[in-house]
Amino acid sequence: SYPDQVAGLILNEPTTVKVAEFFTTSSYQKANEWLSEMTPEERYEATKDQELTPQEEQLLEASERTFSEGTTIFSEYLASEQNLKEISAIAKATTSLPPILLFAQPFREQEYRDSEYAGEKTKLCLIKGHHALYLAQPDSVSTAINDWLKSWPI
């Protein structure tokens, strides 16, 4: 069974059910349409304050070009949606989630405290930066992971 096969989870800003539901709102659809009508230069100007490094900007541009049905990244996106559904179902069906180390930006703290990931074995690690916290603050992330693993009983 699930709890017997997984010792713990390390998560970087995972999608919550609350956020997933936002993607079906008319506000999100309008924003998405607005962005899709922009040129790459206009999109850059509209989103340049996201604190991405030049290398991350290149990766983002490349991912936008490759994120289409049938690609590996699209398949991974579908798999992540399925994972979210499974985690949500487990959280609803049991009171015992495995230990979770969850990395998030400070502005998302309440979202995660109210989410399906919340529990007595969940450690929320708040780090300033952008979504890819392991790129923004690699030393902080690795230190937190090492400290978390060292706290486990042997």
Side-chain angles (χ1 to χ4, degrees):
S1 72
Y2 172 82
D4 299 331
Q5 297 172 3
V6 177
L9 300 171
I10 298 174
L11 305 171
N12 179 72
E13 288 207 329
T15 301
T16 61
V17 169
K18 181 179 179 181
V19 168
E21 289 171 351
F22 169 74
F23 293 126
T24 63
T25 64
S26 61
S27 299
Y28 177 78
Q29 300 301 326
K30 287 177 185 174
N32 206 25
E33 288 170 16
W34 175 71
L35 283 171
S36 69
E37 293 171 359
M38 294 179 165
T39 65
E41 293 79 17
E42 291 170 329
R43 250 192 329 271
Y44 172 77
E45 285 299 316
T47 60
K48 68 181 179 183
D49 65 346
Q50 293 182 342
E51 301 180 35
L52 300 178
T53 67
Q55 181 184 14
E56 290 164 343
E57 285 287 346
Q58 288 176 338
L59 290 171
L60 180 61
E61 287 176 23
S63 71
E64 287 175 353
R65 288 192 303 270
T66 60
F67 191 82
S68 58
E69 195 166 349
T71 62
T72 301
I73 195 166
F74 188 78
S75 298
E76 290 174 357
Y77 168 74
L78 293 177
S80 70
E81 278 193 338
Q82 183 61 33
N83 289 343
L84 176 61
K85 289 177 186 174
E86 291 176 12
I87 287 173
S88 297
I90 291 165
K92 290 174 186 172
T94 182
T95 57
S96 180
L97 287 172
I100 296 173
L101 176 61
L102 195 153
F103 291 96
Q105 297 174 81
F107 77 90
R108 295 188 74 185
E109 179 178 6
Q110 195 59 51
E111 173 192 348
Y112 287 114
R113 294 204 184 282
D114 296 337
S115 77
E116 58 276 15
Y117 302 102
E120 62 185 44
K121 297 180 195 171
T122 299
K123 177 179 168 77
L124 186 58
C125 187
L126 303 173
I127 297 178
K128 290 183 180 180
H130 49 75
H131 175 69
L133 296 167
Y134 47 88
L135 294 175
Q137 301 287 341
D139 293 339
S140 297
V141 169
S142 62
T143 298
I145 291 170
N146 284 330
D147 291 348
W148 183 66
L149 292 173
K150 287 177 186 174
S151 71
W152 286 27
I154 296 178

